[in-house]
């Protein structure tokens, strides 16, 4: 009798490969594999590779029989033999043998015995690590994907067995991935039906990580066997490996199941695990595919746009983390798509918040307040995402994003494809304006343009300085802070923080460069817009201390970055005009505002005088400040901006010792070579077309042409010799047969000329054409004007500004005409 009770005659008649296979099994399975006979079987298989398929089929038959009979000892021996044959044979004929091998592994995985499942998994992992000479495209692993995924969700009552089976399932999935993803022609593993099983199985085990944040960065190799036996760590490593092998065509199939898992398990609120997952994704995939992930997040945000605010906020937070990583590499064509989608959801959030507020008007309930606060969370998350994404872009892209965001800010007289102020209402428009400006502030943070024209191009500057953005104190603050980010190219803003009288400016160690030719050209074209914004900002009644501080910083930064001699004169004219606002008080400002403006002028002229270092100018400014500190400390920032400050009941115009005087400044600067002729011309802000469309009060309601032909200082003579002619009366006097259109064109040319031409050229032309203008007015009005009795008579043209030295004779009011 032979081994295992087979007679010698029957054994001799059996095929040789069967005899060799039978010989490797001992009578007692505890003795293990017979190594000598195993070597003979291996030599036979290598020598006759055509017999491999039969050897595999016979081993599979024996193993199936032993599994059914629960003879697990022989099962272990059979699997060990299969593993050794698999490692030894690499010929073309191994493929039929592999089919038998996989069939036996499937038998083990189907059994309900945990030990056999682990045994089958270990054998499959060994097989997965073998590199075949030629791939087998007909082989499919659908069963193994399903079975290993099921093992990842094991719920065995014994915790140790549960952990063991889950680890086996994860290792099996890892084996399937390694075996299939290397061959481009065999991409079945990336099909959605497989990814929908693999990815959730890995995420299910990753949820057990106790310290999520400790492994959200780039992958680090495990340092010990303990970590390898942790299902969470093993699942994360497998997930990273899977994503690292994903290509352009199958990236989306690997990412979409993540959203389904997070939705099903409600992991967006709180979203710590969701953030951890997408950090792993962004660090694991190839950098050029980052935009695929961002597109998927944006698409999912659209799908869940009607979910609770906290869910949407969780998705947006995930998007923020994704773009923060993607912005450091390649982000592809998704830049504008990100902003478009976020702006759309910003509009949706505002609509939902305002809708809840309207529906609950008169019944302030706790639930409504909670919804509003949740929507604020969404809005803040959107702003943070927009700002953070933009601030991490390269400068050449950041300027485009600044233009893009600014084009979406609702401004009176304009409409946006996404944000139409006509449908938002005043409250909604203001909310979106504030939020977009806040995001723009983040985008501009740290932006350093080589020239100011690159930082503030006209299509960006015009809407930014729009009167529509001056109706609210917070809006004005945001606009000024954005200007500071763009103008301050040497990081001087922190040194200028807080409005104060600086004793010695040199202690601040201000950094500055020589003004470039491009910056000089910018100030000639757009300087009046900046002056106008500061001028109007000082006239607002709702100004608080922060507004005055930001206005001071704006003036100081303009001086540092953009001021040549011509700009210095313009800034002094602006400062004197601001002082006149407080003294004359045509706008009926509160006393606090008037004193605040006076303090602003004092702080700025103190700074300017030290920056240009003209001793006589510094002396005049210091003398006024010293007088104020003794007689009117409420005109200084250190006093007026205290919590408790005694305000004066009125401001006396004749207290010249407390004011900065134009003639004194002109004398001091003229002695140092400055061209001070323009200081005698009071500053008047530009009037734009938007001023006539704005809901705000127009800057200059009328334009006056004042002709001085009678000298003298008698106030009664001034009143008696002034005749007021309205624009309507003048219009009727003109022949309507074509002259009306000509006059409109002339007015347009005059406006354009006075806005863009240099001051010296305008003054020269006004002087030469004074007599022609006088004759033209006389013809139109059919009036006879007496010639001036003495050659000392002068004619001045002003626009809505009081001149105490002029004697006006005729004053014409043009509501639609602006002459500077």
């Amino acid at each position: 009798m032979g081994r295992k009770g087979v007679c010698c005659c029957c054994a001799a008649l059996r095929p040789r490969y069967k005899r060799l296979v039978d010989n490797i099994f001992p009578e007692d399975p505890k003795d293990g594999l017979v190594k000598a006979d195993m070597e003979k079987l291996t030599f036979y298989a290598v020598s006759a590779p055509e017999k491999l398929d039969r050897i595999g089929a016979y081993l599979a038959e024996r193993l199936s029989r032993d599994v059914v009979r629960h003879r697990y000892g022989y099962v272990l021996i059979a699997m060990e033999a299969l593993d050794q044959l698999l490692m030894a044979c690499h010929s073309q004929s191994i493929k039929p043998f592999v089919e038998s091998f996989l069939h036996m592994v499937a038998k083990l995985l189907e059994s309900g015995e945990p030990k056999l499942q682990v045994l089958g998994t270990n054998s499959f992992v060994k097989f997965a690590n073998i590199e075949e000479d030629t791939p087998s495209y007909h082989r499919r692993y659908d069963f193994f994907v399903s079975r290993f995924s099921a093992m990842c969700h094991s719920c065995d009552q014994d915790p140790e067995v549960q952990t063991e089976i889950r680890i086996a399932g994860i290792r099996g999935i890892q084996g399937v991935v390694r075996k299939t993803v290397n061959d481009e022609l065999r991409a079945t593993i990336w099909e959605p039906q497989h990814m929908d099983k693999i990815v959730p199985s890995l995420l299910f085990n990753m949820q057990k990580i106790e310290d999520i944040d400790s492994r959200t960065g780039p992958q680090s190799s495990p340092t010990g066997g303990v970590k390898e036996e942790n299902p969470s760590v093993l699942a994360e490593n497998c997930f990273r490996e899977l994503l690292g092998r994903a290509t352009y065509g199958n990236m989306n199939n690997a990412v979409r199941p993540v959203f389904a898992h997070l939705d099903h398990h409600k992991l967006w609120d709180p979203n710590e695990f969701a953030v951890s997952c997408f950090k792993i994704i962004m660090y694991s995939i190839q950098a050029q595919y980052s935009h695929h992930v961002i597109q998927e997040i944006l698409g999912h945000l659209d799908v869940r746009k009607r979910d609770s605010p906290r869910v949407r906020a969780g998705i947006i937070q995930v998007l923020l983390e994704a773009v923060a990583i993607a912005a450091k590499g390649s982000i592809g064509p998704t830049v504008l798509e990100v902003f478009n989608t976020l702006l759309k959801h910003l509009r949706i959030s505002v609509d939902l918040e305002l809708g809840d507020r309207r529906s609950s008007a008169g019944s302030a309930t706790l639930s409504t307040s909670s919804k509003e606060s949740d929507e604020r969370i969404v809005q803040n998350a959107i702003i943070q995402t927009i700002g953070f994404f933009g601030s991490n872009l390269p400068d050449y892209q950041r300027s485009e994003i600044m233009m893009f965001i600014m084009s979406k800010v609702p401004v009176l007289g304009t409409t946006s494809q996404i944000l139409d102020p006509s449908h938002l209402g005043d409250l909604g428009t203001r909310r979106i304006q504030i939020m977009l400006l806040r995001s723009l502030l983040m985008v501009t943070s740290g932006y350093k343009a080589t020239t100011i024209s690159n930082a503030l191009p006209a299509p960006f500057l015009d809407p930014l300085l729009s009167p529509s953005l001056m109706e609210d104190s917070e809006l004005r603050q945001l606009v000024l802070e954005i200007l500071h980010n763009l103008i301050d190219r040497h990081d001087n803003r922190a040194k200028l923080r807080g409005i104060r009288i600086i004793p010695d400016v040199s202690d601040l160690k201000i950094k500055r460069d020589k003004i470039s030719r491009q910056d000089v050209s910018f100030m000639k074209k757009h300087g009046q817009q900046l002056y106008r914004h500061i001028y109007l900002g000082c006239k607002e009644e709702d100004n608080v201390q922060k507004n005055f501080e930001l206005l001071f910083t704006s003036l100081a930064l303009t001086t540092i970055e953009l001021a040549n001699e011509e700009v210095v004169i313009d800034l002094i004219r602006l400062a004197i005009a601001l002082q006149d606002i407080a003294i004359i008080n045509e706008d009926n400002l509160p006393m606090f505002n008037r004193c605040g403006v006076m303090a602003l002028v004092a702080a700025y002229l103190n700074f300017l005088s030290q920056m240009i270092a003209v001793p006589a100018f510094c002396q005049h400014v210091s003398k006024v400040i010293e007088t104020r500190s003794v007689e009117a400390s409420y005109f200084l920032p250190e006093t007026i901006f205290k919590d408790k400050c005694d305000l004066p009941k009125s401001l006396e115009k004749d207290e010249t010792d407390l004011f900065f005087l134009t003639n004194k400044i002109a004398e001091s600067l003229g002695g140092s070579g400055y061209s001070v002729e323009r200081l005698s011309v009071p500053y008047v802000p530009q009037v734009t077309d938007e001023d006539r469309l704005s809901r705000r009060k127009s800057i200059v309601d009328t334009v006056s042409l004042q002709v001085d032909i009678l000298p003298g200082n008698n106030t009664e003579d001034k009143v008696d010799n002034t005749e007021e002619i309205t624009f309507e009366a003048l219009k009727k006097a003109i022949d309507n047969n074509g002259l009306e259109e000509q006059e409109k064109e002339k007015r347009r040319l005059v406006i354009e000329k006075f806005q863009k031409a240099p001051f010296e050229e305008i003054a020269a032309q006004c002087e030469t054409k004074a007599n022609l203008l006088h004759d033209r007015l006389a013809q139109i009005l059919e009036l006879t004007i007496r010639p001036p009795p003495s050659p000392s008579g002068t004619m001045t043209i002003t626009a809505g500004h009081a001149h105490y030295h002029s004697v006006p004779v005729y004053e014409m009011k043009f509501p639609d005409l602006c002459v500077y």
Side-chain angles (χ1 to χ4, degrees):
M1 297 291 291
R3 186 179 299 169
K4 295 184 65 66
V6 180
C7 68
C8 296
C9 296
C10 294
L13 296 177
R14 292 166 63 81
R16 186 181 179 187
Y17 72 89
K18 288 189 176 181
R19 283 182 280 135
L20 291 173
V21 169
D22 289 337
N23 290 339
I24 66 174
F25 290 93
E27 294 184 3
D28 186 358
K30 295 181 180 180
D31 296 337
L33 181 68
V34 181
K35 294 183 179 180
D37 292 325
M38 186 63 217
E39 292 177 358
K40 295 179 182 179
L41 177 62
T42 302
F43 178 79
Y44 177 77
V46 173
S47 303
E50 67 277 4
K51 299 293 185 179
L52 268 175
D53 57 335
R54 299 183 183 181
I55 295 174
Y58 184 60
L59 275 171
E61 178 185 344
R62 286 190 60 112
L63 184 138
S64 299
R65 184 171 62 249
D66 291 336
V67 169
V68 173
R69 295 176 180 176
H70 299 284
R71 300 167 66 178
Y72 297 139
Y74 289 117
V75 172
L76 295 175
I77 294 173
M79 291 306 301
E80 184 179 354
L82 283 170
D83 293 342
Q84 292 190 23
L85 289 174
L86 203 60
M87 299 295 293
C89 304
H90 296 282
S91 66
Q92 294 279 351
S93 303
I94 197 175
K95 289 180 175 53
F97 174 77
V98 170
E99 299 302 325
S100 300
F101 169 79
L102 294 178
H103 177 69
M104 286 184 282
V105 172
K107 283 287 186 181
L108 296 180
L109 295 177
E110 287 178 338
S111 68
E113 183 64 31
K115 291 183 179 181
L116 296 184
Q117 294 178 4
V118 173
L119 177 64
T121 301
N122 293 336
S123 296
F124 183 84
V125 171
K126 293 177 183 178
F127 162 71
N129 292 327
I130 296 175
E131 295 184 4
E132 301 181 46
D133 296 335
T134 57
S136 178
Y137 299 113
H138 69 279
R139 190 184 305 151
R140 297 186 65 87
Y141 297 91
D142 299 12
F143 168 79
F144 296 100
V145 171
S146 300
R147 188 57 193 160
F148 288 138
S149 299
M151 292 169 63
C152 289
H153 292 83
S154 173
C155 296
D156 196 279
Q157 295 181 354
D158 187 346
E160 293 184 1
V161 174
Q162 181 188 102
T163 301
E164 188 178 11
I165 294 177
R166 287 187 180 184
I167 290 176
I170 297 169
R171 295 180 67 237
I173 290 178
Q174 194 172 30
V176 173
V177 172
R178 291 177 178 175
K179 194 65 179 175
T180 57
V181 297
N182 290 330
D183 299 316
E184 295 181 0
L185 298 179
R186 186 176 61 214
T188 56
I189 192 66
W190 297 108
E191 293 177 357
Q193 63 267 28
H194 298 320
M195 288 291 105
D196 290 344
K197 298 174 183 176
I198 293 175
V199 174
S201 300
L202 297 176
L203 296 178
F204 176 77
N205 286 275
M206 288 168 58
Q207 283 179 252
K208 306 301 180 182
I209 298 179
E210 296 180 0
D211 187 6
I212 294 175
D213 294 335
S214 63
R215 289 185 302 277
T216 53
Q219 181 180 3
S220 58
S221 58
T223 58
V226 177
K227 287 189 177 181
E228 283 290 353
E229 295 302 319
N230 186 336
S232 302
V233 177
L234 191 61
E236 181 182 323
N237 292 336
C238 182
F239 189 51
R240 290 181 185 272
E241 183 177 351
L242 174 68
L243 294 169
R245 296 173 183 269
T247 59
Y248 180 86
N250 48 49
M251 176 60 64
N252 293 343
N253 290 340
V255 174
R256 286 171 184 167
V258 178
F259 294 104
H261 179 82
L262 297 174
D263 289 342
H264 179 72
H265 292 275
K266 299 180 179 179
L267 297 174
W268 295 112
D269 179 31
N271 67 339
E272 286 81 3
F273 180 73
V275 170
S276 172
C277 285
F278 278 92
K279 280 187 175 181
I280 292 172
I281 292 173
M282 297 302 294
Y283 280 120
S284 300
I285 63 175
Q286 301 179 46
Q288 63 267 30
Y289 303 146
S290 297
H291 62 278
H292 280 288
V293 180
I294 295 175
Q295 286 176 330
E296 290 297 321
I297 299 175
L298 293 173
H300 195 69
L301 183 60
D302 288 335
V303 172
R304 305 297 299 270
K305 63 183 178 182
R306 295 300 176 185
D307 279 23
S308 66
R310 291 190 175 273
V311 170
R312 286 182 281 127
I315 299 175
I316 295 170
Q317 179 67 26
V318 168
L319 178 63
L320 171 61
E321 300 293 342
V323 299
I325 299 172
K328 300 175 183 177
S330 171
I331 52 176
T334 59
V335 176
L336 294 183
E337 183 180 354
V338 169
F339 288 102
N340 267 322
T341 303
L342 290 175
L343 291 176
K344 179 176 66 177
H345 286 276
L346 183 63
R347 165 68 184 274
I348 292 174
S349 178
V350 171
D351 286 344
L352 292 174
E353 180 184 3
L354 296 179
D356 292 338
R357 184 174 298 179
R358 295 189 197 102
S359 62
S360 61
S363 59
T365 61
L366 181 61
S367 60
T368 302
S369 176
S370 176
K371 287 182 180 179
E372 289 182 4
S373 61
D374 289 345
E375 290 296 342
R376 294 291 178 93
I377 295 175
V378 175
Q379 295 160 15
N380 290 332
I382 293 175
I383 293 170
Q384 188 178 9
T385 304
I386 292 175
F388 191 85
F389 186 28
S391 62
N392 280 277
L393 292 175
D395 286 346
Y396 71 91
Q397 280 188 323
R398 202 191 305 193
S399 59
E400 297 179 1
I401 296 304
M402 288 159 46
M403 297 279 292
F404 181 79
I405 297 177
M406 196 65 232
S407 67
K408 301 302 179 184
V409 178
V411 174
L412 185 66
T414 64
T415 57
S416 168
Q417 295 180 354
I418 295 180
L419 304 173
D420 187 354
S422 63
H423 297 121
L424 293 172
D426 291 343
L427 181 59
T429 300
R430 178 186 175 277
R431 287 292 309 282
I432 289 184
Q433 284 176 333
I434 289 177
M435 288 184 286
L436 288 180
L437 289 177
R438 284 173 55 193
S439 62
L440 186 59
L441 179 63
M442 295 183 65
V443 172
T444 56
S445 177
Y447 179 62
K448 298 291 188 297
T450 54
T451 62
I452 197 65
S453 57
N454 292 337
L456 292 171
F460 177 81
L461 184 63
D462 293 342
L464 182 65
L465 301 183
S466 165
S468 298
L469 299 181
M470 297 190 65
E471 298 177 355
D472 181 86
S473 174
E474 186 176 357
L475 286 174
R476 296 195 302 276
Q477 293 173 11
L478 290 171
V479 170
L480 290 174
E481 289 176 337
I482 292 169
L483 285 175
H484 297 170
N485 283 344
L486 298 174
I487 295 176
D488 183 19
R489 291 170 288 178
H490 296 87
D491 298 324
N492 292 313
R493 181 175 44 174
K495 304 171 185 177
L496 301 169
R497 187 168 297 152
I499 180 172
R500 63 195 188 280
I501 302 297
I502 304 174
D504 189 353
V505 174
S506 61
D507 293 340
L508 300 180
K509 297 181 180 180
I510 299 293
K511 299 178 182 178
R512 62 185 305 189
D513 293 330
K514 184 178 179 181
I515 308 301
S516 65
R517 185 176 302 173
Q518 293 86 348
D519 290 348
V520 172
S521 176
F522 172 85
M523 289 304 292
K524 287 183 178 180
K525 292 181 180 179
H526 303 290
Q528 293 297 327
Q529 287 180 270
L530 296 176
Y531 306 151
R532 171 183 180 274
H533 187 79
I534 294 173
Y535 181 84
L536 296 181
C538 292
K539 298 175 67 173
E540 297 295 336
E541 294 185 5
D542 59 344
N543 280 337
V544 295
Q545 179 178 349
K546 184 176 181 180
N547 292 88
F548 289 109
E549 291 178 350
L550 294 174
L551 288 166
F552 167 74
T553 305
S554 300
L555 289 168
L557 289 176
T558 304
T559 304
I560 295 170
E561 299 285 350
L562 303 171
N564 56 7
E565 290 188 4
E566 183 178 349
V567 174
V568 167
I569 298 299
D570 288 335
L571 289 171
I572 294 175
R573 292 173 59 217
L574 174 60
I576 298 300
L578 294 177
Q579 181 177 253
D580 291 342
I581 290 176
I583 297 173
I584 302 173
N585 197 26
E586 293 178 349
D587 297 283
N588 296 321
L589 294 176
M591 185 56 67
F592 170 79
N593 294 62
R594 298 172 67 184
C595 293
V597 171
M598 296 291 282
L600 168 65
V601 174
Y604 173 64
L605 289 181
N606 171 71
F607 176 83
L608 177 63
S609 64
Q610 296 186 57
M611 288 296 295
I612 64 177
V614 175
F617 185 24
C618 293
Q619 184 178 1
H620 172 64
V621 172
S622 299
K623 183 177 180 181
V624 174
I625 292 175
E626 290 175 3
T627 305
R628 289 185 179 185
S629 63
V630 176
E631 301 179 9
S633 61
Y634 42 79
F635 284 166
L636 298 178
E638 288 80 1
T639 301
I640 186 62
F641 296 123
K642 289 182 178 179
D643 293 336
K644 295 181 180 181
C645 176
D646 296 330
L647 298 176
K649 296 181 180 179
S650 63
L651 299 183
E652 299 298 333
K653 300 179 181 179
D654 56 354
E655 296 179 354
T656 56
D657 292 341
L658 300 177
F659 305 144
F660 300 98
L661 303 179
T662 304
N663 57 347
K664 295 281 188 181
I665 297 175
E667 290 176 5
S668 61
L669 294 179
S672 298
Y674 282 82
S675 178
V676 296
E677 290 81 6
R678 287 187 299 129
L679 281 178
S680 61
V681 180
Y683 169 77
V684 178
Q686 279 185 340
V687 181
T688 64
D689 292 337
E690 190 176 356
D691 293 323
R692 288 181 284 274
L693 297 174
S694 177
R695 291 166 290 184
R696 295 162 39 84
K697 181 180 178 181
S698 178
I699 306 165
V700 180
D701 297 327
T702 62
V703 175
S704 300
L705 292 178
Q706 298 178 342
V707 183
D708 298 347
I709 58 176
L710 293 176
N713 296 322
N714 193 336
T715 306
E716 296 180 357
D717 292 341
K718 296 179 185 180
V719 177
D720 295 338
N721 289 283
T722 301
E723 180 178 350
E724 184 176 308
I725 301 175
T726 64
F727 179 79
E728 296 298 330
L730 179 61
K731 186 176 180 181
K732 292 179 181 179
I734 301 176
D735 185 6
N736 293 327
N737 190 15
L739 293 178
E740 182 178 349
E741 293 298 328
Q742 296 179 13
E743 291 298 326
K744 289 183 178 179
E745 179 65 17
K746 289 180 180 180
R747 288 197 299 271
R748 188 188 66 79
L749 294 175
V750 169
I751 293 172
E752 183 177 354
K753 182 176 182 179
F754 275 84
Q755 285 179 340
K756 297 183 178 179
F759 177 81
E760 292 77 6
E761 179 182 345
I762 296 174
Q765 292 183 1
C766 288
E767 184 177 357
T768 57
K769 294 182 179 181
N771 293 330
L772 295 177
L773 178 61
H774 183 279
D775 296 340
R776 178 59 177 164
L777 291 174
Q779 293 174 7
I780 294 175
L781 302 174
E782 297 181 356
L783 296 175
T784 303
I785 302 179
R786 295 179 302 168
S790 64
S792 62
T794 60
M795 182 190 72
T796 60
I797 302 176
T798 65
H801 194 284
H803 287 261
Y804 305 110
H805 63 278
S806 63
V807 185
V809 176
Y810 299 104
E811 180 174 343
M812 299 184 302
K813 295 188 176 180
F814 298 86
D816 297 327
L817 179 60
C818 170
V819 179
Y820 299 95

